[in-house]
Amino acid sequence: MNVFVTGHLGYIGVHLVKQLKDLGHQVTGCDIDLFEGCEFEPFTRPDKELIKDIRDLTPEELSGHDCVMHLAAISNDPMGDLDEQITYDVNLKGSVELARLAKQAGVKRFLFSGSCSVYGKGDKLDLSETDPLNPVSAYAVSKIEAEKQISLMADDDFTPVYLRNATAYGYSPMLRIDLVVNNLLGCAHSKGEIRIMSDGSPWRPLIHCSDIAKAFVHLMMANKELVFNKAINIGDNRENYQVKDVADYVQELMPSALIKFTGEVGDDPRNYRVNFDLLNTLVPDFKLDYTLRSGMDELYKKYIANGFNQDDFDGDKYVRLRKLKHTINKIKAEA
Ligand SMILES: NC(=O)c1ccc[n+]([C@@H]2O[C@H](COP(=O)([O-])OP(=O)(O)OC[C@H]3O[C@@H](n4cnc5c(N)ncnc54)[C@H](O)[C@@H]3O)[C@@H](O)[C@H]2O)c1
């Protein structure tokens, strides 16, 4: 198939391009390359690469593709809060316009990279797709509104699907350490401290970034009638954890590391344990390749092999918000 991947230079995108190419698909990537120079390891490039803003794409560039996988975004809560207007412009308006262009260009399937953070301050545990959404950030609101507006375009010729991904973790050649698991493990390895910013009680559904990529591939191949215009939680019921569970496993890996509760985020309002039965029902062949433990073991080995150190942990390279702020300051200084 001919597949168009946006955000292909990101943490999840680089896994996705590799998986698609390994399966023999033709891949076009489009990414503005916000995190240029932030590679942890070399990665696979798509067959064709457009280094540009998704908001500048044309129908001609999209035409001839069977599926658009849309991952490009301002990709977490703190970045989303940095400038809410940009977050809405890219994540909401940009996504809706991209879906419109894709439909106009005759693309049949549009897979949107959403997030379980739409459940936000969960009213109850084990949230499923029909439960109320309680967003606590501009990022989450942008994902909800994009789902809603894109859903209005669904018809016989255009099948959008909304992947509400669990929180990602694990090794990627475009590593991020601003995700809870990677952060706790990276801090323990580089500084000998397990720093928990909340009281450790919030629930999070977790999924390896490579398994999110795998879900995109499965949902591209899934029967149209099954997935048509559906929001689907992406993860596994057994992979819901409290932050303190993650810290405990870090401690098992590094017994000498000290646990510190910094309390810097106070009562973390984001607390959601999620139910993934719909995914199992619609795509029963899909199984996670990783558990939290196997994914953490892999990442720990990668930290060691790459000599990941305090400078890496404190620097800009692997923290999306810091890198973005750095780029903005540079642009301002040059203006
Ligand atoms: N990482 C997670 O835990 C997680 C969880 C749920 C959902 N998601 C979603 O999955 C997607 C990918 O996440 P990620 O972790 O790989 O993020 P990432 O920040 O590593 O990658 C996002 C990519 O999008 C690109 N981009 C941003 N704005 C763009 C624009 N206007 N035009 C073109 N490219 C642009 C960036 O350059 C970057 O390479 C995002 O939509 C994110 O919201 C991520």
Side-chain angles (χ1 to χ4, degrees), residues 186-235:
C187 187
H189 173 60
S190 63
K191 299 185 161 200
E193 275 181 8
I194 304 167
R195 300 177 66 131
I196 305 177
M197 294 184 223
S198 62
D199 64 0
S201 66
W203 283 96
R204 285 286 187 290
L206 296 170
I207 183 170
H208 195 287
C209 49
S210 166
D211 279 326
I212 295 183
K214 186 177 171 187
F216 270 90
V217 177
H218 275 252
L219 286 163
M220 173 174 77
M221 305 308 291
N223 195 319
K224 173 185 159 183
E225 284 67 37
L226 289 176
V227 297
F228 177 76
N229 212 15
K230 286 206 166 75
I232 307 172
N233 294 334
I234 305 296

Side-chain angles (χ1 to χ4, degrees), residues 11-12 31 34 53-54 71 75 113-114 139 143 168 176 320:
Y11 176 64
I12 299 167
D31 195 301
L34 282 177
D53 196 310
I54 50 147
L71 285 79
S75 61
S113 198
Y139 169 74
K143 295 286 184 186
R176 295 177 59 167
R320 296 291 186 253

Side-chain angles (χ1 to χ4, degrees), residues 180-181 184 194-204 206 240-250 261 268 270-271 292:
V180 62
V181 174
L184 288 175
I194 304 167
R195 300 177 66 131
I196 305 177
M197 294 184 223
S198 62
D199 64 0
S201 66
W203 283 96
R204 285 286 187 290
L206 296 170
N240 283 290
Y241 295 91
Q242 285 178 289
V243 174
K244 61 186 178 207
D245 301 330
V246 180
D248 285 346
Y249 190 51
V250 175
F261 287 89
D268 189 342
R270 297 164 307 162
N271 179 39
L292 178 64

Side-chain angles (χ1 to χ4, degrees), residues 6-13 30-35 52-55 70-76 79 90-91 113-116 139 143 163-169 174 176 179 212 320:
T6 75
H8 75 283
L9 296 173
Y11 176 64
I12 299 167
C30 171
D31 195 301
I32 201 168
D33 209 2
L34 282 177
F35 307 109
K52 64 188 292 187
D53 196 310
I54 50 147
R55 293 168 293 176
H70 177 40
L71 285 79
I74 303 298
S75 61
N76 67 11
M79 267 201 292
V90 175
N91 294 10
S113 198
S115 168
C116 282
Y139 169 74
K143 295 286 184 186
L163 289 82
R164 289 188 183 162
N165 302 303
T167 301
Y169 70 87
M174 279 298 286
R176 295 177 59 167
L179 299 161
I212 295 183
R320 296 291 186 253

Side-chain angles (χ1 to χ4, degrees), residues 17-31:
V17 169
K18 178 163 192 324
Q19 290 183 22
L20 287 167
K21 289 196 62 166
D22 287 351
L23 290 167
H25 299 293
Q26 283 289 312
V27 185
T28 305
C30 171
D31 195 301

